[in-house]
PDB file of all heavy atoms in Angstrom:
ATOM      1  N   THR A 126     150.640 277.294  76.669  1.00 98.00           N
ATOM      2  CA  THR A 126     151.007 278.086  75.488  1.00 98.00           C
ATOM      3  C   THR A 126     151.664 279.376  75.919  1.00 98.00           C
ATOM      4  O   THR A 126     152.680 279.806  75.372  1.00 98.00           O
ATOM      5  CB  THR A 126     149.765 278.347  74.628  1.00 98.00           C
ATOM      6  OG1 THR A 126     149.127 277.086  74.400  1.00 98.00           O
ATOM      7  CG2 THR A 126     150.131 278.957  73.297  1.00 98.00           C
ATOM      8  N   GLU A 127     151.074 279.994  76.982  1.00 98.00           N
ATOM      9  CA  GLU A 127     151.667 281.238  77.520  1.00 98.00           C
ATOM     10  C   GLU A 127     153.061 280.939  78.097  1.00 98.00           C
ATOM     11  O   GLU A 127     153.993 281.717  77.905  1.00 98.00           O
ATOM     12  CB  GLU A 127     150.758 281.808  78.624  1.00 98.00           C
ATOM     13  CG  GLU A 127     149.437 282.306  78.034  1.00 98.00           C
ATOM     14  CD  GLU A 127     148.285 282.346  79.062  1.00 98.00           C
ATOM     15  OE1 GLU A 127     148.369 281.643  80.109  1.00 98.00           O
ATOM     16  OE2 GLU A 127     147.310 283.037  78.816  1.00 98.00           O
ATOM     17  N   TYR A 156     147.651 277.650  70.263  1.00 98.00           N
ATOM     18  CA  TYR A 156     147.518 276.265  70.696  1.00 98.00           C
ATOM     19  C   TYR A 156     146.459 275.607  69.803  1.00 98.00           C
ATOM     20  O   TYR A 156     145.303 276.101  69.762  1.00 98.00           O
ATOM     21  CB  TYR A 156     147.117 276.172  72.165  1.00 98.00           C
ATOM     22  CG  TYR A 156     147.014 274.734  72.604  1.00 98.00           C
ATOM     23  CD1 TYR A 156     148.140 273.971  72.798  1.00 98.00           C
ATOM     24  CD2 TYR A 156     145.783 274.106  72.746  1.00 98.00           C
ATOM     25  CE1 TYR A 156     148.079 272.631  73.141  1.00 98.00           C
ATOM     26  CE2 TYR A 156     145.680 272.773  73.110  1.00 98.00           C
ATOM     27  CZ  TYR A 156     146.851 272.041  73.303  1.00 98.00           C
ATOM     28  OH  TYR A 156     146.775 270.718  73.625  1.00 98.00           O
ATOM     29  N   VAL A 176     140.170 273.037  66.571  1.00 98.00           N
ATOM     30  CA  VAL A 176     140.049 274.160  67.515  1.00 98.00           C
ATOM     31  C   VAL A 176     141.364 274.965  67.439  1.00 98.00           C
ATOM     32  O   VAL A 176     142.431 274.398  67.555  1.00 98.00           O
ATOM     33  CB  VAL A 176     139.799 273.636  68.949  1.00 98.00           C
ATOM     34  CG1 VAL A 176     139.815 274.793  69.945  1.00 98.00           C
ATOM     35  CG2 VAL A 176     138.465 272.905  69.032  1.00 98.00           C
ATOM     36  N   ILE A 177     141.193 276.268  67.222  1.00 98.00           N
ATOM     37  CA  ILE A 177     142.371 277.131  67.018  1.00 98.00           C
ATOM     38  C   ILE A 177     142.434 278.160  68.160  1.00 98.00           C
ATOM     39  O   ILE A 177     141.567 279.025  68.241  1.00 98.00           O
ATOM     40  CB  ILE A 177     142.261 277.902  65.683  1.00 98.00           C
ATOM     41  CG1 ILE A 177     141.984 276.957  64.504  1.00 98.00           C
ATOM     42  CG2 ILE A 177     143.484 278.796  65.432  1.00 98.00           C
ATOM     43  CD1 ILE A 177     143.160 276.173  64.004  1.00 98.00           C
ATOM     44  N   GLY A 178     143.412 278.007  69.047  1.00 98.00           N
ATOM     45  CA  GLY A 178     143.491 278.904  70.201  1.00 98.00           C
ATOM     46  C   GLY A 178     144.671 279.862  70.112  1.00 98.00           C
ATOM     47  O   GLY A 178     145.739 279.620  70.678  1.00 98.00           O
ATOM     48  N   GLY A 179     144.483 280.955  69.414  1.00 98.00           N
ATOM     49  CA  GLY A 179     145.571 281.942  69.244  1.00 98.00           C
ATOM     50  C   GLY A 179     145.720 282.776  70.512  1.00 98.00           C
ATOM     51  O   GLY A 179     144.769 283.018  71.246  1.00 98.00           O
ATOM     52  N   MET A 180     146.943 283.260  70.753  1.00 98.00           N
ATOM     53  CA  MET A 180     147.153 284.174  71.893  1.00 98.00           C
ATOM     54  C   MET A 180     146.565 285.544  71.576  1.00 98.00           C
ATOM     55  O   MET A 180     146.313 286.317  72.488  1.00 98.00           O
ATOM     56  CB  MET A 180     148.641 284.271  72.228  1.00 98.00           C
ATOM     57  CG  MET A 180     149.129 283.038  72.979  1.00 98.00           C
ATOM     58  SD  MET A 180     150.874 283.163  73.468  1.00 98.00           S
ATOM     59  CE  MET A 180     150.813 284.409  74.757  1.00 98.00           C
ATOM     60  N   THR A 181     146.339 285.855  70.283  1.00 98.00           N
ATOM     61  CA  THR A 181     145.635 287.062  69.867  1.00 98.00           C
ATOM     62  C   THR A 181     144.768 286.653  68.681  1.00 98.00           C
ATOM     63  O   THR A 181     144.997 285.596  68.066  1.00 98.00           O
ATOM     64  CB  THR A 181     146.616 288.165  69.377  1.00 98.00           C
ATOM     65  OG1 THR A 181     147.266 287.682  68.196  1.00 98.00           O
ATOM     66  CG2 THR A 181     147.658 288.523  70.412  1.00 98.00           C
ATOM     67  N   SER A 185     145.299 283.541  65.817  1.00 98.00           N
ATOM     68  CA  SER A 185     144.283 282.556  65.417  1.00 98.00           C
ATOM     69  C   SER A 185     144.091 282.587  63.904  1.00 98.00           C
ATOM     70  O   SER A 185     143.966 281.534  63.254  1.00 98.00           O
ATOM     71  CB  SER A 185     142.963 282.867  66.099  1.00 98.00           C
ATOM     72  OG  SER A 185     143.058 282.661  67.478  1.00 98.00           O
ATOM     73  N   VAL A 201     137.755 276.378  64.162  1.00 98.00           N
ATOM     74  CA  VAL A 201     136.882 277.071  65.119  1.00 98.00           C
ATOM     75  C   VAL A 201     137.784 277.824  66.072  1.00 98.00           C
ATOM     76  O   VAL A 201     138.600 277.210  66.787  1.00 98.00           O
ATOM     77  CB  VAL A 201     136.002 276.055  65.890  1.00 98.00           C
ATOM     78  CG1 VAL A 201     134.915 276.783  66.661  1.00 98.00           C
ATOM     79  CG2 VAL A 201     135.408 275.033  64.943  1.00 98.00           C
ATOM     80  N   VAL A 202     137.617 279.153  66.104  1.00 98.00           N
ATOM     81  CA  VAL A 202     138.605 279.980  66.772  1.00 98.00           C
ATOM     82  C   VAL A 202     138.198 280.291  68.224  1.00 98.00           C
ATOM     83  O   VAL A 202     137.048 280.571  68.538  1.00 98.00           O
ATOM     84  CB  VAL A 202     138.769 281.296  65.969  1.00 98.00           C
ATOM     85  CG1 VAL A 202     139.542 282.336  66.763  1.00 98.00           C
ATOM     86  CG2 VAL A 202     139.463 280.993  64.648  1.00 98.00           C
ATOM     87  N   THR A 203     139.214 280.223  69.122  1.00 98.00           N
ATOM     88  CA  THR A 203     139.036 280.632  70.513  1.00 98.00           C
ATOM     89  C   THR A 203     140.371 281.151  71.023  1.00 98.00           C
ATOM     90  O   THR A 203     141.275 281.438  70.234  1.00 98.00           O
ATOM     91  CB  THR A 203     138.520 279.438  71.354  1.00 98.00           C
ATOM     92  OG1 THR A 203     138.371 279.876  72.718  1.00 98.00           O
ATOM     93  CG2 THR A 203     139.468 278.260  71.329  1.00 98.00           C
ATOM     94  N   ASN A 204     140.543 281.275  72.360  1.00 98.00           N
ATOM     95  CA  ASN A 204     141.844 281.652  72.885  1.00 98.00           C
ATOM     96  C   ASN A 204     142.651 280.413  73.292  1.00 98.00           C
ATOM     97  O   ASN A 204     142.114 279.297  73.324  1.00 98.00           O
ATOM     98  CB  ASN A 204     141.682 282.632  74.048  1.00 98.00           C
ATOM     99  CG  ASN A 204     140.859 282.019  75.158  1.00 98.00           C
ATOM    100  OD1 ASN A 204     141.021 280.874  75.548  1.00 98.00           O
ATOM    101  ND2 ASN A 204     139.923 282.801  75.678  1.00 98.00           N
ATOM    102  N   SER A 205     143.915 280.603  73.622  1.00 98.00           N
ATOM    103  CA  SER A 205     144.789 279.431  73.846  1.00 98.00           C
ATOM    104  C   SER A 205     144.376 278.627  75.087  1.00 98.00           C
ATOM    105  O   SER A 205     144.401 277.391  75.065  1.00 98.00           O
ATOM    106  CB  SER A 205     146.261 279.863  73.955  1.00 98.00           C
ATOM    107  OG  SER A 205     146.441 280.742  75.051  1.00 98.00           O
ATOM    108  N   ARG A 206     143.951 279.301  76.152  1.00 98.00           N
ATOM    109  CA  ARG A 206     143.585 278.561  77.374  1.00 98.00           C
ATOM    110  C   ARG A 206     142.335 277.712  77.156  1.00 98.00           C
ATOM    111  O   ARG A 206     142.263 276.572  77.629  1.00 98.00           O
ATOM    112  CB  ARG A 206     143.362 279.545  78.551  1.00 98.00           C
ATOM    113  CG  ARG A 206     144.612 280.267  78.942  1.00 98.00           C
ATOM    114  CD  ARG A 206     144.306 281.329  80.000  1.00 98.00           C
ATOM    115  NE  ARG A 206     144.026 280.777  81.297  1.00 98.00           N
ATOM    116  CZ  ARG A 206     144.967 280.463  82.187  1.00 98.00           C
ATOM    117  NH1 ARG A 206     146.210 280.669  81.901  1.00 98.00           N
ATOM    118  NH2 ARG A 206     144.614 279.960  83.354  1.00 98.00           N
ATOM    119  N   THR A 207     141.378 278.242  76.427  1.00 98.00           N
ATOM    120  CA  THR A 207     140.148 277.450  76.160  1.00 98.00           C
ATOM    121  C   THR A 207     140.487 276.266  75.256  1.00 98.00           C
ATOM    122  O   THR A 207     139.964 275.144  75.448  1.00 98.00           O
ATOM    123  CB  THR A 207     139.061 278.337  75.503  1.00 98.00           C
ATOM    124  OG1 THR A 207     138.896 279.501  76.308  1.00 98.00           O
ATOM    125  CG2 THR A 207     137.737 277.607  75.377  1.00 98.00           C
ATOM    126  N   ALA A 208     141.353 276.489  74.298  1.00 98.00           N
ATOM    127  CA  ALA A 208     141.730 275.391  73.397  1.00 98.00           C
ATOM    128  C   ALA A 208     142.475 274.293  74.148  1.00 98.00           C
ATOM    129  O   ALA A 208     142.241 273.107  73.918  1.00 98.00           O
ATOM    130  CB  ALA A 208     142.609 275.946  72.258  1.00 98.00           C
ATOM    131  N   GLU A 209     143.351 274.691  75.071  1.00 98.00           N
ATOM    132  CA  GLU A 209     144.072 273.680  75.911  1.00 98.00           C
ATOM    133  C   GLU A 209     143.050 272.858  76.703  1.00 98.00           C
ATOM    134  O   GLU A 209     143.124 271.628  76.747  1.00 98.00           O
ATOM    135  CB  GLU A 209     145.039 274.400  76.879  1.00 98.00           C
ATOM    136  CG  GLU A 209     146.253 274.978  76.167  1.00 98.00           C
ATOM    137  CD  GLU A 209     146.954 276.101  76.938  1.00 98.00           C
ATOM    138  OE1 GLU A 209     146.408 276.601  77.936  1.00 98.00           O
ATOM    139  OE2 GLU A 209     148.047 276.480  76.513  1.00 98.00           O
ATOM    140  N   MET A 210     142.091 273.562  77.333  1.00 98.00           N
ATOM    141  CA  MET A 210     141.082 272.885  78.156  1.00 98.00           C
ATOM    142  C   MET A 210     140.173 272.021  77.295  1.00 98.00           C
ATOM    143  O   MET A 210     139.688 270.964  77.739  1.00 98.00           O
ATOM    144  CB  MET A 210     140.284 273.936  78.924  1.00 98.00           C
ATOM    145  CG  MET A 210     139.363 273.358  79.969  1.00 98.00           C
ATOM    146  SD  MET A 210     140.280 272.433  81.252  1.00 98.00           S
ATOM    147  CE  MET A 210     138.898 271.674  82.112  1.00 98.00           C
TER     148      MET A 210
END
Side-chain angles (χ1 to χ4, degrees):
T126 309
E127 292 156 340
Y156 181 74
V176 175
I177 308 283
M180 284 182 71
T181 65
S185 294
V201 192
V202 168
T203 180
N204 57 45
S205 61
R206 295 174 73 85
T207 309
E209 287 158 350
M210 189 61 189

